[in-house]
Amino acid sequence: MPSPLIRHLSFIDKSIHQLDTVIRTLHAKQDRSTRASPADTVSETELTPAQKKHSAGLIRVNHSGEVCAQALYQGQALTAKLPEVKSQMAKAASEEEDHLAWCQQRLNELNTQPSVLNPLWYGISLGIGASAGLISDKLSLGFVAATEDQVCQHLSHHMQSLPVDDAKSHAIIKQMHIDEAEHGAIALSAGGYDFPRPVKQAMSQVARVMTGLSYRI
């Protein structure tokens, strides 16, 4: 999570910190979450090979989404102008880190791996976040709100698509949906720009490509 003290560090120190953040994001461990996984209190059920493969694909998509979220918030925190916006980005990144750890834990339980494309998604999202922050905090917060709206739509679809017997994955995605909706609402209330429908539709098309690839690889 980006620290409010980062602005006092040298360029080299900031670079090292950012590299460490990249490594921690792309190699997330389940014990790095500050909150216990919602799935911890849910009993595992026997899934058919087809159900297990589908659940793994959906959780892999959500894991990649959390990698993107981490990179987006990190980029925005690096370039945001107002201290309160930097603080908000850092808090959101911390909660997204919980999601990342929960998804990693579930992937482990399903005996599968994260998407091999995560480094690519991370780099793209970091660049978008940093660019939005450079333009304005209003745009940066608006991009968060629009992104979280897209994420909530995907999570709602996943809750319907998951095998009914996969209660563990359901519990994780349900809590993620609650958190993401809150992040989006906070971003708008903090002065974020409400993107017009055509922009959101374009973002949705890009998201479909990313989720389709992450589901498979």
Side-chain angles (χ1 to χ4, degrees):
M1 179 180 72
S3 167
L5 296 178
I6 291 299
R7 62 181 180 274
H8 299 304
L9 301 179
S10 69
F11 173 78
I12 294 178
D13 289 332
K14 290 180 181 179
S15 298
I16 293 174
H17 175 84
Q18 187 60 35
L19 178 60
D20 177 67
T21 302
V22 173
I23 294 173
R24 287 189 295 106
T25 298
L26 295 178
H27 300 280
K29 294 182 179 180
Q30 62 190 57
D31 59 358
R32 282 184 177 150
S33 64
T34 58
R35 293 177 291 171
S37 170
D40 286 349
T41 58
V42 180
S43 299
E44 186 70 84
T45 53
E46 188 70 26
L47 301 174
T48 67
Q51 288 176 324
K52 189 174 182 180
K53 181 179 180 180
H54 184 51
S55 288
L58 294 180
I59 294 297
R60 188 181 301 111
V61 167
N62 291 314
H63 183 276
S64 292
E66 295 309 319
V67 168
C68 292
Q70 281 288 306
L72 178 66
Y73 286 126
Q74 288 157 12
Q76 290 170 322
L78 286 172
T79 57
K81 299 169 180 62
L82 297 176
E84 56 268 28
V85 174
K86 289 178 179 286
S87 177
Q88 184 180 0
M89 294 299 105
K91 180 178 182 298
S94 176
E95 293 182 353
E96 299 289 355
E97 192 169 338
D98 288 343
H99 299 172
L100 190 64
W102 299 346
C103 288
Q104 181 62 61
Q105 178 180 337
R106 188 60 184 147
L107 287 175
N108 293 342
E109 293 168 351
L110 293 168
N111 297 315
T112 190
Q113 299 294 321
S115 172
V116 298
L117 298 174
N118 279 347
L120 174 62
W121 304 148
Y122 183 96
I124 293 173
S125 299
L126 183 68
I128 291 173
S131 298
L134 281 172
I135 295 172
S136 75
D137 287 337
K138 183 178 180 68
L139 179 65
S140 182
L141 289 168
F143 196 84
V144 169
T147 299
E148 297 294 16
D149 180 59
Q150 296 292 325
V151 170
C152 284
Q153 291 182 38
H154 283 292
L155 293 174
S156 294
H157 172 70
H158 289 180
M159 283 190 283
Q160 296 175 356
S161 179
L162 274 170
V164 176
D165 293 335
D166 190 359
K168 277 184 169 289
S169 296
H170 272 282
I172 292 171
I173 293 178
K174 181 179 179 180
Q175 185 58 52
M176 286 173 60
H177 188 281
I178 293 172
D179 292 345
E180 305 294 6
E182 181 180 0
H183 292 167
I186 290 174
L188 283 178
S189 65
Y193 178 63
D194 190 5
F195 285 12
R197 183 178 296 274
V199 175
K200 292 181 180 180
Q201 290 176 337
M203 291 174 63
S204 179
Q205 292 300 319
V206 173
R208 283 196 184 96
V209 174
M210 296 177 67
T211 56
L213 290 172
S214 294
Y215 179 87
R216 293 172 177 80
I217 53 174

